[in-house]
Amino acid sequence: MNKSDDKRNRKFAFGNESRSVRLRWIKTGASCGGGAQDMRILDGASEMAIGFRVLPRERCVDAGMVERFKAIPVANISDSMARMSAGGPRLRPMHAGDKLTGIALTVKTRPGDNLMVHKALSMAAPGDVIVVDAGGDLTNAIIGELMAAMAIKRQVAGFVIDGAIRDVGAIQAGPLPVYAAGVTHRGPYKDGPGEINVPISLDGMIVNPGDLICGDEDGVVCVPFDEVQTLYQLAKAKHDAEQGQMEAIAAGRDDRSWVEATLARTGCEIRL
């Protein structure tokens, strides 16, 4: 592995203490998903690497599987996961309507700061979804029109941000899928710290680098890398069954006997 070090001093505030830290940026070469070079951020003291680092993405969902999931509604995927995984009701589509399907490039950032989101945007490969854990804070926007334009140029599949955005009019008029928890006109800071390609949580939904991200009008769901094959089969079967049920409803053949059977089984008292 070819490595070149770029050493620099940075000063950070830790509570009431200001501390100078020496950082090293080490080129690690291409990781899964494209030719963009990842960088590891390290320093002389190992405890400082936690919370401010860029890691390589070790694995990614196959591009063919990403394509297959484009035909499956998020609700069918969610139902196939026992309705136990969701990014929370605050994550809403801020764009005009295109579905989102792609590979997670994860970012954990200090609320209101987008330095590491900019770094992730520089690293992103075509088809990546930049998924940002910004702590759910809505005080400052994490992205806006400019970063959306950069993402479109780099063929990024979209953004999922547990935080706020701005320039909503431009984002709504554009082709890039963007999901966010809110809107504010106040811009971000660009100081760090943060981490790239680490496990993150969006309102309890765990997202690992390389997982599959799916979004539509109902919200966002993450399909774990290790479960993508099984969940595709389950979600497709669910979708096919619902399509059949829609045809039965249209034809007046929908079987509603399960309602009475469930009421009887659960001991419901009925007085008519």
Side-chain angles (χ1 to χ4, degrees), residues 91 100 129-133 158-162 179-180 202 213 220:
L91 282 181
L100 171 65
V129 178
I130 298 177
V131 187
V132 184
D133 174 6
F159 284 99
V160 177
I161 299 173
D162 191 12
Y179 292 78
L202 307 183
I213 302 297
V220 176

Side-chain angles (χ1 to χ4, degrees), residues 170-206:
I171 288 172
Q172 287 177 338
L176 183 73
V178 176
Y179 292 78
V183 176
T184 179
H185 56 80
R186 296 175 66 178
Y189 300 100
K190 299 178 181 352
D191 302 305
E195 299 177 295
I196 296 177
N197 284 327
V198 296
I200 61 174
S201 174
L202 307 183
D203 200 23
M205 181 177 73
I206 304 300

